[in-house]
Amino acid sequence: MTGEAPDYFRPENGAVLTTLLIVRDVDRSREYYQRVLGAGCVREREPCILRFHNSYLVLNTEGGPTDDKPAVQARAPADSATLGCAMNIRVTDVRRVHAEWSSRGGEFLTEPKDHGVEIRCYLRDPDGYLIEVGQAAGILSETGPGNG
């Protein structure tokens, strides 16, 4: 194990939000998230737990129902063209992260695109999960629900 995760196992404030990804090959996905995103491995399998900055990724294999979810099938995305969920990672310099993760083998859909309120780009993990990498560029100064 290469990372510590005391707050994952004993949440300081009562809860910790993690992202569970159902993957086809835990070893392949763990290697990808460690190599490309720089995540630290807290637990290698069953389930695999990775620490990524102030959050966690839990990687588990596909499978049938269990006693606590009796009618649920755990499956990785059927195809990478349909968006059902996406990780959204906020960074201070999206162009730097794009260059760094590209050099580690991350394959982005496009270069970072400036949309006025934010600059963002996307890449996919080995199972087709979409990962948005974005940088705020005025989004908090716009008036909208909850912004004044």
Side-chain angles (χ1 to χ4, degrees), residues 38-97:
C41 185
V42 174
R43 180 182 168 103
E44 289 197 10
R45 40 184 45 255
E46 298 179 22
C48 172
I49 302 171
L50 299 171
R51 184 174 189 142
F52 180 71
H53 295 274
N54 62 347
S55 188
Y56 296 91
L57 297 172
V58 179
L59 308 176
N60 218 341
T61 56
E62 296 181 317
T66 59
D67 63 351
D68 55 347
K69 49 180 180 39
V72 176
Q73 296 284 326
R75 298 283 176 247
D79 66 81
S80 62
T82 304
L83 178 61
C85 75
M87 281 187 283
N88 189 307
I89 301 170
R90 287 294 176 248
V91 299
T92 55
D93 185 344
V94 70
R95 288 179 178 86
R96 181 190 61 74
V97 171

